[in-house]
Amino acid sequence: MPRSNTSPGRSGRPPATSRAEILDATRRVIERDGWEKLTVRRLAAELGIGTTTLYHHVRDREDLLVQLLNEHVDRTLRPDLPAEPRERIIAAATAIHDSLAAWPWAAEILTVDGFLARLGPASLQAVETIVAAAVDCGCTLDQAVGLFRSIWYYTAGEILVRAHSAHRRPDDAQLTEEADFFSGIDTARLPRLSEVGDRWPELAARDTYSEALRAFVNGLLAQATSEKP
């Protein structure tokens, strides 16, 4: 139930609403209704305050989500970093992945240019770790930034695809369509896809993030260091 602005028998200004209360209420709305349904108006109703009051704490819905994300990441992003720089890159990227995988909407609001300015201390430290470790591996600073960007695109994309797939519940018609597709593949034109056949969904659903990340990092570092004069 929304919290009343005033206690019974009392008058005057409503009690102040703290940042912690706002973020707790935001989390409740998202868990109950989904992040797509979150609005400043709905959150104000959850808190029992006016939208004008809430705008004293947040600029808009996106700012609210970024604040919640940064609080979550500051609590959960605590990677155990190895001494070897290549392994530090992998450990930091894996920690980012694991922290955001629980809240896939977070990856979606960060897939825009200029997202670095939105990050809190823990997230920025993870970015610093990856960039610095890439330099320690022999990359130039420009190459290190490119390496981080490539890792982030892969990580965010993997989170979003898996999240959308997890929420997708194919109906009978869609299952029938997929079965017909795999059984009707032109063997002469698409021999490998025909060979995989209806095993494709099972193979595509495997969690290969860790091993693919390692191969990706190894390839990026090899390419970067081979390009140096």
Side-chain angles (χ1 to χ4, degrees), residues 106-126:
E108 192 149 339
I109 66 171
L110 291 177
T111 51
V112 294
D113 291 335
F115 76 92
L116 202 64
R118 303 178 174 191
L119 301 182
S123 300
L124 288 172
Q125 189 58 56

Side-chain angles (χ1 to χ4, degrees), residues 130-150:
I130 293 174
V131 172
V135 172
D136 289 344
C137 285
C139 294
T140 65
L141 190 56
D142 288 2
Q143 289 172 332
V145 171
L147 180 138
F148 166 76
R149 184 187 63 185
S150 297

Side-chain angles (χ1 to χ4, degrees), residues 1 5 9 17 28 51 56-57 59-61 74-75 79 122 126 128 150 166 172 186 198 213-214 218 222:
M1 293 288 292
N5 281 352
T17 304
R28 288 197 305 273
T51 54
H56 288 306
H57 297 271
R59 291 193 304 274
D60 50 29
R61 174 180 180 272
D74 286 344
R75 287 188 292 103
E128 168 70 18
S150 297
D172 291 341
D186 185 340
D198 58 8
L213 173 66
R214 182 172 294 277
N218 287 341

Side-chain angles (χ1 to χ4, degrees), residues 32-49:
R32 185 183 65 226
D33 304 326
W35 77 279
E36 301 92 340
K37 300 291 182 64
L38 177 70
T39 64
V40 172
R41 184 181 297 277
R42 180 173 294 205
L43 179 61
E46 180 81 14
L47 287 161
I49 62 176

